Amino acid sequence: SQKIEQNSEALNIQEGKTATLTCNYTNYSPAYLQWYRQDPGRGPVFLLLIRENEKEKRKERLKVTFDTTLKQSLFHITASQPADSATYLCALPYNNNDMRFGAGTRLTVKP
Amino acid sequence: DAGVIQSPRHEVTEMGQEVTLRCKPISGHDYLFWYRQTMMRGLELLIYFNNNVPIDDSGMPEDRFSAKMPNASFSTLKIQPSEPRDSAVYFCASSLTGLGIDTQYFGPGTRLTVL
């Protein structure tokens, strides 16, 4: 069966460091992958989409990689700030209209 | 645009009662999605609509759950009768085209507690 795994439930890092979150998937061949941010008490907010033919994508301090051979996406936040503290979810298409989400990684950036 | 609007934000009810959750999607979006989020199971898709028509309800847990979209600006998710295991945060999301490549915009969610 199809599975999406995010490396850990929680990740704690010091302000200014780079946070790296992992999304692994099995029994999928997605044409793209999305990353969302979710703050407590709020719905997920879309951050980035990366297609299978794109190795890397950047948006300000965010960088996403997509390795279809390893079946893995890495999500990096450089120069992290306490305001980056949130839960980050990866999502893959199940079919054209249906996205399936990972359980999320809760990132805490300590000042 | 106000974004996706959900009501109520919090609902506490007793087992056996009927619960109705409401959603107003972003104007002009053709697709509407209902999700449930729990610590154990994460974010799960329950059902989605295209132009007010239910397309896939395979995620609806059982017959106690039903969803309707009478018009382009309103949808409801009903649980009757409710059970304690239905306690979760229910999100509504909408997107322009419905293709997964299109961004889904989530509402703030309804936190449901069934006692």
Side-chain angles (χ1 to χ4, degrees), chain B residues 8-66:
Chain B
R9 292 296 311 276
H10 302 273
E11 177 82 35
V12 180
T13 190
E14 294 194 345
M15 184 173 66
Q17 296 298 304
E18 177 179 296
V19 174
T20 299
L21 311 181
R22 297 173 177 79
C23 174
K24 177 178 166 52
I26 293 173
S27 176
H29 283 192
D30 288 339
Y31 283 77
L32 182 140
F33 305 82
W34 280 101
Y35 290 88
R36 177 173 67 177
Q37 188 174 41
T38 61
M39 290 294 292
M40 289 296 294
R41 301 176 66 90
L43 194 61
E44 303 173 279
L45 178 68
L46 300 177
I47 185 171
Y48 71 90
F49 295 82
N50 175 24
N51 291 324
N52 315 337
V53 176
I55 302 300
D56 185 350
D57 65 354
S58 59
M60 296 284 261
E62 47 197 276
D63 292 345
R64 297 184 297 106
F65 286 69
S66 63

Side-chain angles (χ1 to χ4, degrees), chain A residues 61-82:
Chain A
R61 294 183 296 107
L62 308 181
K63 185 179 87 169
V64 173
T65 63
F66 192 12
D67 189 326
T68 56
T69 302
L70 290 179
K71 294 188 180 294
Q72 180 182 82
S73 175
L74 298 179
F75 177 84
H76 306 273
I77 306 175
T78 58
S80 60
Q81 305 166 359

Side-chain angles (χ1 to χ4, degrees), chain A residues 6-26:
Chain A
Q6 295 194 238
N7 58 327
S8 55
E9 264 191 44
L11 180 65
N12 299 318
I13 64 167
Q14 208 64 38
E15 182 176 9
K17 301 292 186 185
T18 295
T20 298
L21 285 64
T22 305
C23 178
N24 294 300
Y25 56 92
T26 55

Side-chain angles (χ1 to χ4, degrees), chain A residues 32 34 36 38 41-44 46 49 51 96-99 101, chain B residues 9 33 35 37 43 45 48 91 98-101 103-104 106-107:
Chain A
Y32 52 87
Q34 297 180 348
Y36 285 76
Q38 186 174 19
R42 293 176 177 264
F46 172 79
L49 178 148
R51 299 171 195 261
N96 263 347
N97 301 317
D98 180 358
M99 297 297 289
F101 287 79
Chain B
R9 292 296 311 276
F33 305 82
Y35 290 88
Q37 188 174 41
L43 194 61
L45 178 68
Y48 71 90
F91 288 104
L99 293 175
I101 204 161
T103 302
Q104 290 190 21
F106 284 77

Side-chain angles (χ1 to χ4, degrees), chain A residues 82-103:
Chain A
D84 296 326
S85 299
T87 295
Y88 292 87
L89 306 164
C90 65
L92 283 74
Y94 182 66
N95 58 42
N96 263 347
N97 301 317
D98 180 358
M99 297 297 289
R100 296 296 166 94
F101 287 79

Side-chain angles (χ1 to χ4, degrees), chain B residues 46-107:
Chain B
L46 300 177
I47 185 171
Y48 71 90
F49 295 82
N50 175 24
N51 291 324
N52 315 337
V53 176
I55 302 300
D56 185 350
D57 65 354
S58 59
M60 296 284 261
E62 47 197 276
D63 292 345
R64 297 184 297 106
F65 286 69
S66 63
K68 292 182 181 178
M69 192 164 185
N71 57 61
S73 59
F74 184 65
S75 177
T76 59
L77 178 68
K78 188 176 290 188
I79 308 173
Q80 165 64 18
S82 58
E83 296 182 3
R85 59 192 167 120
D86 302 330
S87 297
V89 181
Y90 291 82
F91 288 104
C92 174
S94 70
S95 68
L96 198 56
T97 65
L99 293 175
I101 204 161
D102 195 7
T103 302
Q104 290 190 21
Y105 295 86
F106 284 77

